[in-house]
């Protein structure tokens, strides 16, 4: 494994805010490199469970979803496609740089558990949240019953 994939103690002290979990930040950085891991997050009293993915993968999915569901003028479709292309270009530029302190976490096939059942129960969704709002986590995704 490359040294740039691991935050050193010095990196942790320099770049990781005190209210962030350095291990969770590491998992997010690995997802950016294509290492996907199932996780369950505790966020605001609810559990959010899915597979960590990169911001790029998340944005590509959003772009595809908007394109597939957009029923309007070509001008609107073109503007949205251009906006997503710009976001993806910006993401590609930052993906080449080390980012010891990402701000967001992205999940695919995510389910939100607010009690005994998952919402939605039929299928998982793409999910994005602020890392600073994660109260705790464990490795492994939950499945709905």
């Amino acid at each position: 494994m490359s040294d740039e994939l691991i935050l050193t103690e010095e990196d942790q002290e320099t770049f990781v805010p005190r209210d962030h979990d350095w291990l969770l930040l590491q998992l997010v950085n690995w997802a950016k490199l294509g290492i996907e891991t199932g996780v369950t997050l505790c966020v605001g009293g609810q559990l959010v469970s899915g597979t960590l993915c990169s911001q790029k993968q998340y944005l590509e999915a959003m772009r595809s979803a908007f394109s597939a569901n957009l029923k309007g003028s070509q001008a609107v479709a073109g503007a949205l496609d251009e906006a997503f292309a710009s976001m993806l270009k910006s993401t590609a530029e930052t993906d080449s740089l080390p980012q010891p302190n990402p701000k967001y976490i992205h999940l695919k096939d995510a389910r939100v558990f607010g009690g005994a059942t998952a919402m939605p129960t039929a299928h998982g969704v793409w999910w994005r949240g602020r890392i600073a709002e994660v109260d705790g986590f464990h490795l492994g995704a939950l499945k709905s019953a």
Side-chain angles (χ1 to χ4, degrees):
M1 192 175 282
S2 167
D3 288 341
E4 62 193 37
L5 295 178
I6 299 174
L7 292 174
T8 64
E9 276 188 53
E10 183 179 310
D11 290 335
Q12 291 171 30
E13 291 174 11
T14 305
F15 296 111
V16 179
R18 292 188 190 278
D19 62 344
H20 287 50
D21 184 316
W22 66 268
L23 181 56
L24 184 59
L25 294 176
Q26 186 66 65
L27 294 172
V28 169
N29 276 315
W30 285 345
K32 183 171 70 170
L33 298 171
I35 303 169
E36 297 180 351
T37 308
V39 295
T40 300
L41 312 170
C42 182
V43 182
Q46 293 188 321
L47 298 178
V48 181
S49 190
T51 303
L52 278 168
C53 66
S54 68
Q55 177 175 285
K56 178 183 178 199
Q57 191 177 10
Y58 174 85
L59 289 173
E60 286 171 345
M62 292 297 100
R63 182 184 198 179
S64 178
F66 273 100
S67 296
N69 295 315
L70 187 63
K71 298 186 178 27
S73 74
Q74 291 293 69
V76 172
L80 278 173
D81 192 60
E82 191 175 308
F84 276 105
S86 176
M87 286 185 268
L88 284 163
K89 181 181 179 206
S90 175
T91 297
E93 290 169 358
T94 59
D95 276 355
S96 63
L97 304 171
Q99 254 190 336
N101 187 17
K103 304 280 186 249
Y104 293 92
I105 188 167
H106 302 87
L107 301 178
K108 66 180 180 180
D109 197 25
R111 289 177 171 78
V112 177
F113 293 83
T117 22
M119 306 168 285
T121 56
H123 57 79
V125 296
W126 292 91
W127 185 88
R128 171 181 167 110
R130 290 187 309 189
I131 291 175
E133 299 302 316
V134 175
D135 298 316
F137 74 97
H138 71 78
L139 293 179
L142 300 175
K143 302 293 180 201
S144 58

